[in-house]
Amino acid sequence: MANVIANETFFSLQRYAHKGLWKEGEPIWHPLLFLSRYLKETKLGRIEIKIPEGVFLEKKELISIGEGTVIEPGVLIQGPCIIGKNCTIRHGAYIRGPFVCGDSCHIGHSAELKHSILLDGACATHFVYVGDSILGNAVNLGAGVKCANLRLDRQEVAVQLNGKRVKTGLKKFGALIGDRSQIGCNSVLNPGTFFGMESFSYPLMNLSGFVPPRSQVSAKGIQPIEQKILEKLLCQSIITTPA
């Protein structure tokens, strides 16, 4: 299958510990097809923190957690899964493998994440659902955001790219969100949504299709972000790449 979008259009993988998930010549969503195999080929079971009482680890031998990560009581994690260094996982979060999370990520209260990939510094805050999705570096999902991953007719998810309908090979495929983008509270990303880097949506948006990089999405539609607004966001470190 031809690579219809360059990875660099959405993600910087230079520092990412799991950049091996992306294969040259494969589509940008290929890591979701490859994720289970990647985890089977990776040595798991290395937990570098003390697990607090009240944290539930299922298939502990298939879970790795990096040093400096804080996990609050009431969290349930099912392997196979990798959680990086210096992450924070809040009370009530539910993580279902296969799942890979980079360093310095934040997963909020009552968030549910399954069969997904988080790059460094990604934030899936409270009451979100992230299914079969990829979140780029320093992405922030506002409270209540849902990455819907299943079509109502249960058919294979296809995406609209360059004016063409491209099949993904996935019956479950949520969203692909580029580096330093923000999704407003209580928004829904429909199956197969591509949200370009350094873009943001207002709250309560119904998102689908392809959102170009450096765009803003509101009730008025998709518009380019004005340069002065983009510079202000960068200066305020709202969409700054993590160190």
Side-chain angles (χ1 to χ4, degrees), residues 112-134:
E112 180 180 356
L113 299 93
K114 57 86 62 174
H115 194 257
S116 292
I117 300 164
L118 275 58
L119 274 67
D120 296 338
C123 297
T125 57
H126 34 293
F127 303 105
V128 306
Y129 175 71
V130 179
D132 303 272
S133 299
I134 304 175

Side-chain angles (χ1 to χ4, degrees), residues 39-237:
L39 288 168
K40 284 181 180 179
E41 295 174 351
T42 302
K43 186 176 180 181
L44 302 175
R46 184 174 181 178
I47 297 177
E48 299 180 294
I49 63 168
K50 181 178 180 180
I51 301 298
E53 185 176 350
V55 171
F56 302 93
L57 302 181
E58 293 189 11
K59 301 179 183 176
K60 186 176 180 180
E61 71 280 5
L62 298 179
I63 297 172
S64 290
I65 303 173
E67 61 184 11
T69 287
V70 176
I71 303 179
E72 295 182 350
V75 170
L76 172 58
I77 302 173
Q78 296 176 337
C81 122
I82 297 173
I83 296 170
K85 300 176 182 178
N86 302 313
C87 296
T88 301
I89 304 178
R90 300 294 186 194
H91 166 79
Y94 179 26
I95 298 173
R96 293 190 280 148
F99 179 81
V100 170
C101 173
D103 297 336
S104 303
C105 293
H106 295 268
I107 296 173
H109 168 67
S110 292
E112 180 180 356
L113 299 93
K114 57 86 62 174
H115 194 257
S116 292
I117 300 164
L118 275 58
L119 274 67
D120 296 338
C123 297
T125 57
H126 34 293
F127 303 105
V128 306
Y129 175 71
V130 179
D132 303 272
S133 299
I134 304 175
L135 308 187
N137 297 288
V139 162
N140 184 69
L141 304 185
V145 167
K146 303 295 186 284
C147 296
N149 63 338
L150 184 64
R151 288 169 49 124
L152 293 177
D153 61 7
R154 306 301 197 265
Q155 297 301 306
E156 178 183 347
V157 177
V159 295
Q160 293 291 335
L161 299 173
N162 301 320
K164 297 180 180 180
R165 188 172 184 269
V166 180
K167 291 185 177 181
T168 63
L170 293 160
K171 294 190 78 171
K172 291 186 176 181
F173 179 23
L176 193 151
I177 305 176
D179 291 351
R180 301 176 296 283
S181 287
Q182 299 185 86
I183 309 298
C185 294
N186 292 319
S187 294
V188 174
L189 296 99
N190 287 282
T193 297
F194 280 58
F195 202 87
M197 63 167 56
E198 294 178 354
S199 296
F200 73 90
S201 79
Y202 281 63
L204 300 171
M205 291 291 102
N206 182 12
L207 304 168
S208 62
F210 183 91
V211 175
R214 299 176 179 86
S215 298
Q216 62 183 35
V217 185
S218 69
K220 297 178 181 179
I222 301 174
Q223 299 174 325
I225 299 178
E226 295 181 17
Q227 185 63 31
K228 62 181 181 181
I229 295 176
L230 180 61
E231 290 174 357
K232 184 177 180 180
L233 290 172
L234 290 169
C235 288
Q236 292 176 344
S237 300

